[in-house]
Amino acid sequence: MPNNLFRGLQTSCSLLCAGSVRTLHAVTPGCVAGLPLLLQPFTNLRSFSSTASGTGHLRDFAIIAHVDHGKTTLMDRLLSQTGNTLAGDRVMDSNALEKERGITISSKYTSFGYKGFTINAVDTPGHADFGGEVERILGMVDGALLLVDANEGPLSQTKFVLEKALKRGLKPVVVLNKVDRPSVTEQQCNEVQSNLFDLFAHLGATDDQLDFTTLYASAREGWASKELCVGQAPENPSMAPLLDAILEHVPPPPGDPQGQFAMLVTMTERDSFLGRVATGRIASGQVKVGDKIKVLRHSGAPGGDSKVTKIFKRSGVGKLELESASAGDIISMTGAAAAGIADTIGAVDLAAALSPGPIEPPTLSMIFGPNDSPLAGREGTHLTGSKIGERLNAEAETSVSLRVLPVDGGGESFEVQARGELQLGLLIENMRREGYELSVSPPVVVYRIVNGQRMEPLEEVVCEIEDEFSGPIIDALSLRRGELLEMKPIEVEGKQRLTFVAPSRGLIGFRSLFATLTRGSGMLHRAFQSYGHYKGPLDKVRKGVLISMAGPTLLKSC
């Protein structure tokens, strides 16, 4: 290789490692043994060339799990196994609030090469409030890793994400994580697998889906195994068995590279230089930089014609700019400024939009408006209702489960509907950090009227508490119209797992009371279940009180 070309590639690779977008021109597969970002031949990443015949070299999968079961840590280990150098832990959690709270808030994708295949991997949130992220992501993958904590077993959000995956026709690969912990036993793992089989059957899995593959892993230690190794790591520990299982059990994506170009948008973001960036999987055909395209909105409204200005995809912890891409690959593109989530970007002669699939509706709402208190204008820089409305509409464009509606007769106020308290709380915190000064109303649930009857959102609530606190928790949730479904001891001596179904309105503010009743030792998990009949008013539930910390001041009238 000429020295100047080698130095140019070194420079490009260093920029890629820093997260910059650069085009790698005139790279012949096999001419470079390894690059700092990928550390493997370009032949392992065939989709980075202009086009590829067929989709057999591609695998698209998502990692789904309950919150804090190790999804993002597992993604770190897969990236490390395939030659990517990571600057730290949880590299997929790029948002400041994600790093602070230790949770995944928005879905993200990346890709890596393994044994001549290009693997597109999607990391999804585990909290129930961000279930909309999981629902839209499952439409652009052909397989899933269902990650389950070997100590806790399947929990409420495990049930939610598994149900969505099964309805999409995916056949998940089950990974029992954290098996390196001293408390994990072979009997316990067998019980978790039995519970998972029952959960699959309860959710209507087909015979093929019931025949799922199970692997055992320690994402923290960086290994996976087909056999359970109790209390020790396997010989030659690595993530290779898991990567091999992905190649074996995740089918190649459908789609004809020679067909008409069509791509369903599943993520959008805004770049200060490039404008709107639309991300999705190409359903059919090929696309090149400079091609004319049009946007077909899922609502049926016209989207207009435009031209592709840039195409790129995420690789490891950086980005690679492409000249073209074909069916089955997950890419990002600019130029379609009118495209939003669930819209279709396609060739100019594309007749029909792609189906975005079902998305569960929001269940909680709050009223956002400008701060009209006597202390207005002292903290923020964006004070008007129009600025607040622009920010809320921009958030709704990137979140499929968030809706922003104008309030009738409310002036500059807006009703924001979301999945839960956490999603609304994070939106408020982000706006506060960005300099928005606003007032918000107490949260209320979103009711439905079906056949003349009022329906309200119901949630499955799982509590893991010590035996002595079971009575107060049952009483507290009963006052909130909760129904106890199951009560059973768990592996830890002296603890129980209680499962309830309760209306969402009764759970507003319940987490703080739960912490008080259990003296901070309990664990509470919630997930939306369905809409059900209105259960009547809450019984003697106090949502909070205002306490004066100083005596009154008497003023004499003149």
Side-chain angles (χ1 to χ4, degrees):
M1 178 187 297
N3 290 334
N4 58 345
L5 176 59
F6 182 75
R7 285 195 297 270
L9 286 174
Q10 282 185 317
T11 303
S12 297
C13 291
S14 64
L15 289 170
L16 284 170
C17 290
S20 302
V21 180
R22 294 292 185 272
T23 306
L24 299 182
H25 297 288
V27 177
T28 303
C31 71
V32 182
L35 295 177
L37 176 64
L38 304 175
L39 299 181
Q40 53 193 311
F42 271 99
T43 51
N44 284 357
L45 298 169
R46 294 173 56 195
S47 62
F48 292 164
S49 61
S50 59
T51 55
S53 57
T55 62
H57 66 289
L58 293 171
R59 294 294 186 271
D60 303 334
F61 79 97
I63 301 179
I64 56 176
H66 187 84
V67 63
D68 200 32
H69 278 197
K71 298 181 303 302
T72 307
T73 303
L74 182 67
M75 185 70 81
D76 285 352
R77 300 301 174 262
L78 291 177
L79 289 172
S80 298
Q81 178 73 33
T82 52
N84 294 280
T85 302
L86 308 184
D89 293 332
R90 302 175 59 86
V91 295
M92 297 295 286
D93 286 347
S94 54
N95 185 295
L97 284 176
E98 289 179 326
K99 293 182 179 296
E100 290 176 15
R101 294 174 177 253
I103 61 173
T104 302
I105 297 174
S106 58
S107 297
K108 306 170 192 67
Y109 86 99
T110 190
S111 60
F112 46 83
Y114 182 70
K115 292 186 176 180
F117 292 83
T118 298
I119 300 177
N120 294 310
V122 185
D123 185 22
T124 62
H127 198 281
D129 284 17
F130 308 106
E133 295 279 328
V134 180
E135 291 169 324
R136 63 184 172 89
I137 287 302
L138 291 179
M140 69 174 188
V141 297
D142 306 292
L145 298 184
L146 179 64
L147 200 62
V148 180
D149 190 318
N151 291 273
E152 298 181 350
L155 296 176
S156 52
Q157 186 67 1
T158 309
K159 178 180 178 181
F160 176 84
V161 296
L162 177 59
E163 180 181 16
K164 301 303 177 185
L166 295 177
K167 285 184 177 179
R168 288 278 186 175
L170 305 182
K171 182 180 178 180
V173 175
V174 174
V175 180
L176 296 188
N177 193 27
K178 305 181 183 181
V179 296
D180 58 320
R181 291 188 173 181
S183 59
V184 175
T185 63
E186 183 175 358
Q187 179 182 356
Q188 184 178 346
C189 289
N190 291 336
E191 183 179 347
V192 171
Q193 291 186 65
S194 178
N195 292 338
L196 281 169
F197 184 88
D198 293 341
L199 182 58
F200 271 70
H202 176 71
L203 296 176
T206 64
D207 291 343
D208 184 51
Q209 290 171 328
L210 284 171
D211 187 23
F212 55 82
T213 300
T214 302
L215 284 88
Y216 308 91
S218 171
R220 184 182 62 179
E221 300 298 328
W223 57 264
S225 173
K226 294 182 179 180
E227 304 294 333
L228 176 60
C229 304
V230 179
Q232 60 181 359
E235 294 184 6
N236 303 318
S238 72
M239 300 303 295
L242 181 55
L243 290 166
D244 291 335
I246 293 172
L247 298 183
E248 179 181 356
H249 298 287
V250 177
D256 180 12
Q258 306 305 321
Q260 205 172 30
F261 169 65
M263 183 184 86
L264 182 66
V265 179
T266 53
M267 307 180 200
T268 61
E269 57 184 320
R270 184 165 293 279
D271 186 277
S272 56
F273 297 101
L274 302 176
R276 176 168 296 185
V277 180
T279 299
R281 183 170 75 168
I282 302 176
S284 63
Q286 301 177 7
V287 62
K288 299 180 178 65
V289 174
D291 284 355
K292 292 183 178 180
I293 55 174
K294 73 175 181 180
V295 176
L296 299 175
R297 295 189 179 276
H298 67 282
S299 60
D305 298 343
S306 57
K307 185 174 71 172
V308 178
T309 56
K310 284 187 181 294
I311 303 174
F312 59 90
K313 71 175 295 157
R314 300 186 183 278
S315 170
V317 293
K319 297 177 183 178
L320 288 180
E321 192 172 330
L322 312 177
E323 292 297 327
S324 62
S326 60
D329 208 355
I330 298 176
I331 63 165
S332 301
M333 68 167 60
T334 61
I341 293 177
D343 292 341
T344 300
I345 301 175
V348 291
D349 54 348
L350 184 66
L354 300 173
S355 174
I359 299 293
E360 295 289 346
T363 59
L364 209 62
S365 73
M366 296 177 70
I367 304 298
F368 284 57
N371 183 9
D372 55 1
S373 75
L375 303 178
R378 297 193 179 186
E379 293 186 2
T381 55
H382 305 296
L383 310 176
T384 62
S386 59
K387 288 286 188 181
I388 294 172
E390 290 175 5
R391 176 63 177 84
L392 293 175
N393 286 321
E395 185 72 20
E397 289 179 355
T398 61
S399 178
V400 70
S401 59
L402 194 75
R403 296 178 184 174
V404 178
L405 307 171
V407 177
D408 294 336
E412 295 182 315
S413 298
F414 302 87
E415 181 184 1
V416 180
Q417 298 180 351
R419 285 287 182 88
E421 298 168 80
L422 180 59
Q423 186 179 15
L424 288 168
L426 291 176
L427 172 59
I428 294 171
E429 176 62 17
N430 275 324
M431 293 181 67
R432 186 192 67 79
R433 295 186 181 192
E434 294 168 11
Y436 289 87
E437 190 172 306
L438 65 156
S439 62
V440 295
S441 71
V444 295
V445 299
V446 179
Y447 294 103
R448 288 183 185 175
I449 303 298
V450 179
N451 297 326
Q453 295 185 332
R454 182 160 59 163
M455 311 290 283
E456 66 175 340
L458 305 177
E459 298 186 25
E460 183 181 67
V461 184
V462 178
C463 308
E464 293 185 2
I465 57 176
E466 296 180 10
D467 294 341
E468 61 181 299
F469 303 131
S470 59
I473 293 299
I474 293 174
D475 290 341
L477 282 171
S478 297
L479 293 176
R480 288 162 170 75
R481 297 296 180 182
E483 298 180 10
L484 180 63
L485 300 181
E486 185 181 45
M487 181 177 182
K488 66 176 183 180
I490 57 178
E491 292 75 15
V492 180
E493 185 177 354
K495 286 197 172 186
Q496 294 181 346
R497 179 176 295 166
L498 309 180
T499 304
F500 298 83
V501 171
S504 297
R505 60 190 167 92
L507 298 174
I508 297 175
F510 176 69
R511 189 173 293 275
S512 60
L513 176 63
F514 177 83
T516 301
L517 293 176
T518 61
R519 300 176 187 174
S521 64
M523 296 183 63
L524 177 67
H525 307 287
R526 296 167 47 183
F528 172 76
Q529 185 186 65
S530 64
Y531 267 80
H533 292 286
Y534 180 71
K535 292 183 174 294
L538 306 182
D539 294 332
K540 301 177 182 178
V541 174
R542 187 175 68 182
K543 295 295 183 65
V545 293
L546 290 175
I547 301 176
S548 174
M549 302 300 293
T553 300
L554 300 179
L555 300 177
K556 290 184 178 181
S557 59
C558 296

